[in-house]
Amino acid sequence: MNEKTERPIAFLDLAAQQKRLGPALRERVDAVFAHCRFVMGPEVTELEQRLADWCGAKDCVGVSSGTDALQIVMMAENIGRGDAVFLPAFTYTATAEVPLVLGATPVFVDVDPNTFQIDPDHLRARIRAVREAGKLTPRAIVGVDLFGQPAPWEQLRQIAQEEDLFLLADCAQAFGADLNGKPLGREATATTLSFFPSKPLGGYGDGGAILTDDPERADLYRSLRTHGEGKTRYEVLRTGMNGRLDTIQAAVLLAKLDGFKQELARRDEIARAYDAGLADVVQVPARVPNSASAWAIYAILVKDPAEREPLQARLKERGVPSAIYYPLPLHKQPAYRDHHDGSSLPVSEDLATRILALPIHPELTDEEVSRIIAAVRG
Ligand SMILES: *Cc1c(COP(=O)(O)O)cnc(C)c1O
């Protein structure tokens, strides 16, 4: 192999991304340095409006991270001790961490073996079991739009309504995705976003947002993100937190939003190239019907768990990075297993042993995509 084909490929290339965004990015950030309103500057409000407009939500509240977005939404519902929050076992740790921080108990639900999204039938069974045990009060369902594809929202809404539970969308990985021709952002009472740099709409630091159509909840979220403040800064109405979105991050995200549609299209193009090049050798991601993914993660499944390590080693040798999301389902994590009832969640447990994510950022060239396909093929 010559030197060129050996050049390592990046899993995420923020330097190339800055180059592509060009001077517009610097202009946005320089504007913040000029006006010096580093906390709650005008860019925060502008970004909130742009995000709400993107998906047609009535309101958007910029916050400090996707995790803090989840916390603010759950604090607003007074979720705490004795409450059960239902969420998928196969997701990022933050989804389960927040109910625990608030004193509530996460109840882990298994996922669909093809789409990796929460399994509505298992969710019903888990709610029933918690009600029958009588120890915890079912309060909320967190649907996670895993890897960039939508959770089964229609069914989750129906279950939430029948069971009288609050429905929250953890859309940290999927802002930019569509379901039934409509952008995600209005599938639940509140939708939380993350702007961690590796998310499809990523900033250059931590950041997040909450979307809602409910003006009273939006006011509550605004109060909670600033220490529970009232109409004036020195009126404290409730226990809140310091959960504001940084002005510089808002400026970066405004610059990135201008090219976001093209980025999503490029990610989808790469996903299709992977499908075409790999479907005969590994299991490529099944699509959620009537949806368009934001492609936060493109994850393949190997047939046998024993194949994964050698495959990862071969990729590495060829300069192709890969990652495992997630090596352990949450109910098996040391921090969470004591809060789990011990039941097995076979799909999540199986996926954790066979899943492997390939790079899918918009900076990948066609040549790099071909190299990645060739390396996976062996
Ligand atoms: C990234 C992520 C979060 C947390 O977002 P941060 O901005 O990193 O706090 C929450 N849920 C899911 C599913 C995520 O992928």
Side-chain angles (χ1 to χ4, degrees), residues 123-152:
L123 172 61
R124 283 186 194 278
R126 296 296 269 166
I127 297 170
R128 204 179 318 122
V130 169
R131 290 210 194 278
E132 277 165 13
K135 289 206 186 93
L136 298 169
T137 310
R139 286 292 311 280
I141 300 167
V142 185
V144 177
D145 299 302
L146 199 77
F147 294 172
Q149 296 209 88

Side-chain angles (χ1 to χ4, degrees), residues 12-271:
L12 171 71
D13 195 342
L14 296 176
Q17 185 186 81
Q18 284 173 51
K19 218 183 249 174
R20 176 170 50 80
L21 293 169
L25 173 66
R26 283 307 165 98
E27 278 164 27
R28 274 290 188 179
V29 174
D30 285 348
V32 179
F33 277 92
H35 66 56
C36 292
R37 291 172 63 189
F38 296 109
V39 176
M40 293 309 293
E43 285 80 3
V44 174
T45 321
E46 187 183 347
L47 178 70
E48 288 172 341
Q49 191 59 54
R50 289 273 298 274
L51 295 170
D53 289 349
W54 179 282
C55 57
K58 287 215 178 79
D59 217 326
C60 175
V61 180
V63 297
S64 39
S65 71
T67 306
D68 290 344
L70 290 167
Q71 182 164 332
I72 287 170
V73 171
M74 290 191 207
M75 284 170 84
E77 303 305 317
N78 282 314
I79 288 170
R81 200 156 297 284
D83 291 340
V85 177
F86 298 85
L87 52 97
F90 199 64
T91 177
Y92 183 61
T93 177
T95 319
E97 172 185 28
V98 171
L100 280 166
V101 164
L102 297 177
T105 302
V107 178
F108 298 104
V109 179
D110 214 352
V111 298
D112 181 279
N114 297 306
T115 64
F116 317 145
Q117 308 296 323
I118 192 168
D119 175 350
D121 294 331
H122 193 238
L123 172 61
R124 283 186 194 278
R126 296 296 269 166
I127 297 170
R128 204 179 318 122
V130 169
R131 290 210 194 278
E132 277 165 13
K135 289 206 186 93
L136 298 169
T137 310
R139 286 292 311 280
I141 300 167
V142 185
V144 177
D145 299 302
L146 199 77
F147 294 172
Q149 296 209 88
W153 286 113
E154 216 162 295
Q155 292 163 85
L156 295 183
R157 274 192 297 272
Q158 196 178 346
I159 296 169
Q161 195 180 12
E162 285 170 17
E163 299 281 352
D164 194 22
L165 300 176
F166 180 76
L167 185 60
L168 196 170
D170 180 349
C171 191
Q173 301 182 0
F175 188 69
D178 286 357
L179 180 60
N180 298 320
K182 287 187 227 142
L184 290 190
R186 303 181 68 202
E187 301 296 331
T189 308
T191 295
T192 60
L193 309 180
S194 164
F195 307 127
F196 186 80
S198 64
K199 312 284 177 172
L201 182 61
Y204 292 153
D206 282 306
I210 308 166
L211 296 157
T212 185
D213 284 343
D214 179 343
E216 282 173 23
R217 282 194 166 87
D219 284 346
L220 200 45
Y221 301 156
R222 288 202 162 84
S223 168
L224 286 166
R225 80 172 163 188
T226 309
H227 306 289
E229 73 175 10
K231 289 221 158 40
T232 67
R233 183 177 302 178
Y234 299 105
E235 181 186 28
V236 185
L237 295 178
R238 52 186 68 84
T239 307
M241 56 196 281
N242 179 353
R244 293 174 294 245
L245 175 66
D246 190 274
T247 310
I248 290 177
Q249 291 311 322
V252 169
L253 290 160
L254 282 164
K256 288 196 61 177
L257 261 180
D258 291 334
F260 189 45
K261 277 227 155 74
Q262 291 91 301
E263 288 192 15
L264 290 165
R266 177 60 183 155
R267 283 175 187 267
D268 196 55
E269 198 170 57
I270 296 166

Side-chain angles (χ1 to χ4, degrees), residues 299-335:
I300 57 172
L301 288 176
V302 296
K303 245 203 190 71
D304 188 317
E307 293 169 31
R308 185 168 66 182
E309 223 181 273
L311 172 59
Q312 251 199 314
R314 182 171 78 231
L315 295 178
K316 194 173 174 202
E317 215 168 88
R318 305 249 196 118
V320 175
S322 60
I324 298 173
Y325 305 112
Y326 298 92
L328 210 55
L330 295 183
H331 66 292
K332 296 268 187 190
Q333 286 286 359

